[in-house]
């Protein structure tokens, strides 16, 4: 089902439309206090900052360059683009350098979390491992929006109390397989699709 909220923080919603029999869960989600906390401290890199280290980047493959300094990431991507446009047929094209972001962390406004059971039958959420359907558990992602990360954590915590089963590929049973979250940075709107 989907749930769209118009508010800076999704907990402050007073009216909304829910299209599913699990409406009670969505109502509880909109009241959660864990998201009503002030935003997390800025993750903008400082000049004296070391490199950001992601514990699962070697498994998930979503951000292959996260361990490199940002300038090196841009140079690598720039070289990749230039390699694509070599040859006489591209001689008339002028490639300009890639323009970097002010803060290269937590910029993704669309988060697509996969849910599964781990080997101990505990609910995990995260991303699919590259080239497979194995879910790599992710608590917090360096490139995904922090509000979306907290929403995924809250949904995961609510599944057992609401007796909602995650989809099990082996048995073909269960209800929840993915959660999609979009956040409008300019409007403050958050959309959660279960």
């Amino acid at each position: 089902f989907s749930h769209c909220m118009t508010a800076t923080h999704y907990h402050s919603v007073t009216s909304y439309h829910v299209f599913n029999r699990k409406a009670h869960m969505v109502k509880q989600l909109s009241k959660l206090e864990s998201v009503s906390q002030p935003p997390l401290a800025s993750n903008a890199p400082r000049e004296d900052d070391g490199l950001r280290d992601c514990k699962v980047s070697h498994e998930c493959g979503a951000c292959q360059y996260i361990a490199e300094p940002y300038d090196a990431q841009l140079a690598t991507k720039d070289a990749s683009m230039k390699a694509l446009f070599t040859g006489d047929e591209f001689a008339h094209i002028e490639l300009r350098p890639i323009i970097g972001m002010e803060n290269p962390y937590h910029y993704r406004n669309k988060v697509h979390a996969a849910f599964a059971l781990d080997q101990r039958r505990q609910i995990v959420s995260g991303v699919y491992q590259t080239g497979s359907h194995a879910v790599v558990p992710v608590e917090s992602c360096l490139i995904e929006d922090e509000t979306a990360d907290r929403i995924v954590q809250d949904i995961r915590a609510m599944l057992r109390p609401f007796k909602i089963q995650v989809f099990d590929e082996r048995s073909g049973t269960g209800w929840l397989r993915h959660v999609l979250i979009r956040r409008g940075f300019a409007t403050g709107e958050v959309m959660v699709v279960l």
Side-chain angles (χ1 to χ4, degrees):
F1 57 87
S2 85
H3 181 80
C4 186
M5 296 168 262
T6 307
T8 302
H9 297 290
Y10 77 102
H11 74 282
S12 63
V13 176
T14 56
S15 66
Y16 50 86
H17 301 284
V18 178
F19 304 100
N20 197 285
R21 60 188 175 89
K22 302 294 182 189
H24 183 65
M25 179 181 165
V26 175
K27 288 179 187 176
Q28 294 303 315
L29 181 63
S30 68
K31 296 177 186 175
L32 287 174
E33 301 220 4
S34 65
V35 179
S36 65
Q37 301 168 0
L40 300 175
S42 172
N43 287 311
R46 297 186 314 269
E47 288 191 31
D48 61 334
D49 226 359
L51 296 176
R52 295 294 171 130
D53 187 29
C54 177
K55 296 173 185 162
V56 296
S57 64
H58 61 283
E59 294 178 67
C60 84
C63 46
Q64 298 89 346
Y65 307 111
I66 198 74
E68 294 181 32
Y70 189 54
D71 289 342
Q73 291 179 34
L74 294 177
T76 301
K77 293 173 184 179
D78 198 50
S80 296
M81 288 301 299
K82 287 179 181 171
L84 289 173
F85 290 94
T86 57
D88 292 338
E89 66 271 22
F90 300 113
H92 65 283
I93 296 175
E94 176 193 353
L95 289 178
R96 298 183 188 153
I98 294 174
I99 300 171
M101 297 180 261
E102 187 176 309
N103 179 6
Y105 301 104
H106 303 291
Y107 60 87
R108 280 203 180 152
N109 70 325
K110 175 185 164 193
V111 173
H112 185 254
F115 285 75
L117 296 173
D118 66 10
Q119 293 170 348
R120 297 181 328 224
R121 308 293 293 166
Q122 297 298 311
I123 297 172
V124 294
S125 62
V127 295
Y128 287 119
Q129 187 172 13
T130 305
S132 79
H133 273 241
V135 175
V136 177
V138 176
E139 289 296 319
S140 179
C141 178
L142 292 172
I143 60 175
E144 293 177 350
D145 178 61
E146 294 167 297
T147 299
D149 277 347
R150 289 193 300 263
I151 292 170
V152 170
Q153 291 170 9
D154 289 339
I155 290 171
R156 189 178 62 239
M158 295 173 66
L159 293 177
R160 288 219 191 272
F162 281 89
K163 296 180 179 20
I164 296 174
Q165 296 178 351
V166 297
F167 185 77
D168 184 347
E169 283 194 8
R170 288 176 283 178
S171 67
T173 60
W175 183 77
L176 184 67
R177 191 174 199 168
H178 303 105
V179 170
L180 172 71
I181 300 167
R182 285 186 182 262
R183 179 169 176 228
F185 291 127
T187 64
E189 293 178 328
V190 175
M191 179 177 73
V192 178
V193 181
L194 302 174

